[in-house]
Amino acid sequence: MSEATLPASPIGGSASSAAGASNATSAARAKAPQSQFRLIAACSLGNALEMYDFTVYSFFALLIGKLFFPSDSAYGSLLLAVATFGIGFVMRPLGGVIIGNYADRKGRKAAMTLTIGLMVLGTLCIAFAPTYASAGVFGSLMIVAGRLLQGFSLGGEVGAATSMLMEAGGVKGRGFRVSWQLASQGVSALLGALTGAALYAALPQASLESWGWRLPFLLGLLIAPVGLYIRANLDETHVAERHESSPVGRLLRAHGGTVLKGILATTAGTATMYLVVFFMPTYMIRVLHMPPSLSLLSGCVTGITLFVVSLVAGRLADRLPNRKPLVIGSLLFSVVAVVPVFWLISHYPSVPLVLALSALLTASVNIGTTPMFLMLLEMLPAGVRASGISVIYSVGVTIFGGSSQFIVTWLLAKTDNPLSPAFYMMVCGVLSLVALLSLRERKTA
């Protein structure tokens, strides 16, 4: 079935059932309108805390590699550490399917509460894992188990939270509401980098290795009381009726083409997120030989950039009749700019230059990321929206984001070419462009 003929209502139920579900959803919204501030706080703060727990690991990859994955070479330990970071992504598609399906069946609020509990369990495993020196491979396995739980949780969080942000209000302001999902990731990057920079600056190496590295994960456990409290009184935005088939099944049958193109369209954004925002501190230490405390400033700068640019992009998306040209323009610029940026960084390594160019790459890609997410949300009907965005985001991030740090670290070790991250990001950018050009903008309620 072509995209132009795809029905806007869910497949697998009668027209009256679809209408009933739509009326039920509208009634739920009208019954108890909630403040936009509470909605944004509930969705974005919980997401920021979950992303913090998930990504703070990357800022301590060098230490974790040394403590839990000893190797004969520094690159060997780092490879094992970033591979474990990538393992967390393996569970994200499964979490996206299961929790996204749950969000479309039981509601966004129920799914968002579930993800918080799962993330807490994963973070506990990492925070209290014994090192390889004290417990051998058991400690390494605890780190892996924690990453798997975190990945499963975050795979379902994004679809449920982003769908709720879009649905809890009229068409006007959708872009700005959705932009908070991406802006919250900037907050998490900033918090993780600030925590790491403060610890590296304040503690001697021996203290960092014995107990200091655990502090960020213990702080991340704040997700439990904060997240549960702010989501407790949240109003539901989607009330589903019983269907003969699962939302995921209906999604793949009716919107499989959109899902596949959506996955490919996310590649540039995920590669930039996990290489420029989260891997750049490691790149500055290992390749550019900069001090850890200074290198973590890149996480602070790119986190702030991601936060601001995402909100600006959301406002632009609300004002533009067509979002696709903005997304294409941002991708074209990033594809052209990425190699010169890394060439300058590697030939003239200085902290101010790295910070400025990292911010440029982050801004160039993410000015189009919010409009692209809004396009994908509007292409999917409410009955399969959380499942669709969960699958699109989790699969795209797993394939092109979760593997990016391992692939780039391997390329750096094998080729000793400091432009390796740029080549990987160029490939991802081209894939996104090809997929985006084939997508047709269309809107559902």
Side-chain angles (χ1 to χ4, degrees):
M1 185 180 292
S2 67
E3 283 190 6
T5 59
L6 287 177
S9 61
I11 303 298
S14 65
S16 60
S17 296
S22 177
N23 292 336
T25 302
S26 300
R29 292 175 187 166
K31 182 179 179 181
Q34 57 192 336
S35 73
Q36 183 163 282
F37 176 80
R38 189 176 71 185
L39 167 78
I40 289 173
C43 294
S44 61
L45 181 57
N47 189 62
L49 287 171
E50 290 202 42
M51 282 295 294
Y52 167 85
D53 284 341
F54 190 75
T55 55
V56 73
Y57 179 100
S58 67
F59 293 126
F60 290 88
L62 289 171
L63 267 180
I64 291 173
K66 179 179 179 181
L67 295 173
F68 291 90
F69 307 100
S71 174
D72 293 334
S73 69
Y75 267 124
S77 293
L78 180 58
L79 272 172
L80 289 171
V82 296
T84 306
F85 178 76
I87 281 175
F89 290 83
V90 173
M91 294 295 285
R92 285 178 75 161
L94 183 61
V97 170
I98 294 176
I99 301 177
N101 193 74
Y102 182 70
D104 283 330
R105 280 187 176 277
K106 302 296 183 182
R108 320 311 191 199
K109 179 180 174 180
M112 290 162 61
T113 302
L114 172 64
T115 59
I116 289 181
L118 293 172
M119 183 62 72
V120 167
L121 288 176
T123 305
L124 278 170
C125 287
I126 296 174
F128 293 101
T131 63
Y132 187 89
S134 61
V137 72
F138 176 74
S140 306
L141 290 176
M142 277 192 68
I143 294 288
V144 172
R147 293 297 296 166
L148 291 174
L149 278 169
Q150 287 183 328
F152 184 85
S153 169
L154 197 53
E157 165 73 14
V158 172
T162 310
S163 295
M164 176 170 273
L165 284 167
M166 177 203 167
E167 295 163 352
V171 174
K172 184 179 180 181
R174 274 182 177 178
F176 182 69
R177 293 196 304 272
V178 169
S179 70
W180 280 94
Q181 195 280 329
L182 296 163
S184 67
Q185 297 185 23
V187 173
S188 68
L190 175 61
L191 289 176
L194 283 175
T195 304
L199 289 174
Y200 274 110
L203 297 177
Q205 187 68 17
S207 297
L208 275 173
E209 292 184 8
S210 63
W211 56 270
W213 70 272
R214 299 182 189 272
L215 289 180
F217 298 99
L218 293 172
L219 289 173
L221 291 173
L222 288 173
I223 184 176
V226 174
L228 289 173
Y229 174 77
I230 62 177
R231 291 179 176 180
N233 298 312
L234 199 61
D235 298 330
E236 185 56 73
T237 61
H238 176 67
V239 180
E241 290 192 352
R242 296 184 63 182
H243 293 287
E244 294 179 2
S245 58
S246 72
V248 171
R250 289 181 286 118
L251 168 75
L252 297 179
R253 284 197 302 273
H255 306 281
T258 299
V259 170
L260 178 59
K261 293 172 185 177
I263 290 169
L264 294 175
T266 63
T267 58
T270 56
T272 301
M273 183 75 174
Y274 288 97
L275 288 179
V276 179
V277 178
F278 296 122
F279 185 72
M280 186 59 77
T282 300
Y283 181 86
M284 291 173 71
I285 297 169
R286 183 62 61 199
V287 178
L288 304 182
H289 308 294
M290 294 181 177
S293 58
L294 291 179
S295 67
L296 283 168
L297 289 175
S298 71
C300 299
V301 170
T302 52
I304 294 171
T305 303
L306 180 58
F307 175 77
V308 174
V309 169
S310 295
L311 297 180
V312 171
R315 289 297 192 191
L316 283 174
D318 285 328
R319 286 168 169 76
L320 295 173
N322 297 304
R323 288 91 177 218
K324 191 172 176 179
L326 176 60
V327 184
I328 291 175
S330 72
L331 285 174
L332 281 172
F333 180 85
S334 64
V335 168
V336 172
V338 65
V339 171
V341 162
F342 273 89
W343 186 89
L344 286 170
I345 288 173
S346 60
H347 283 76
Y348 303 98
S350 69
V351 172
L353 183 65
V354 173
L355 297 183
L357 294 180
S358 296
L360 175 66
L361 280 181
T362 303
S364 66
V365 172
N366 285 286
I367 196 68
T369 302
T370 294
M372 183 188 69
F373 257 87
L374 190 56
M375 282 174 56
L376 294 171
L377 284 162
E378 291 178 335
M379 288 178 181
L380 299 169
V384 297
R385 184 172 291 138
S387 299
I389 294 301
S390 293
V391 171
I392 288 170
Y393 186 79
S394 61
V395 173
V397 168
T398 297
I399 296 175
F400 300 100
S403 63
S404 61
Q405 295 194 17
F406 182 85
I407 291 173
V408 167
T409 301
W410 181 83
L411 287 172
L412 287 169
K414 289 295 182 181
T415 67
D416 201 30
N417 186 344
L419 299 184
S420 297
F423 297 141
Y424 182 86
M425 290 173 65
M426 271 189 67
V427 172
C428 291
V430 171
L431 283 175
S432 288
L433 273 172
V434 172
L436 186 66
L437 289 170
S438 66
L439 278 171
R440 182 183 303 174
E441 249 186 289
R442 65 185 187 278
K443 299 180 181 180
T444 59

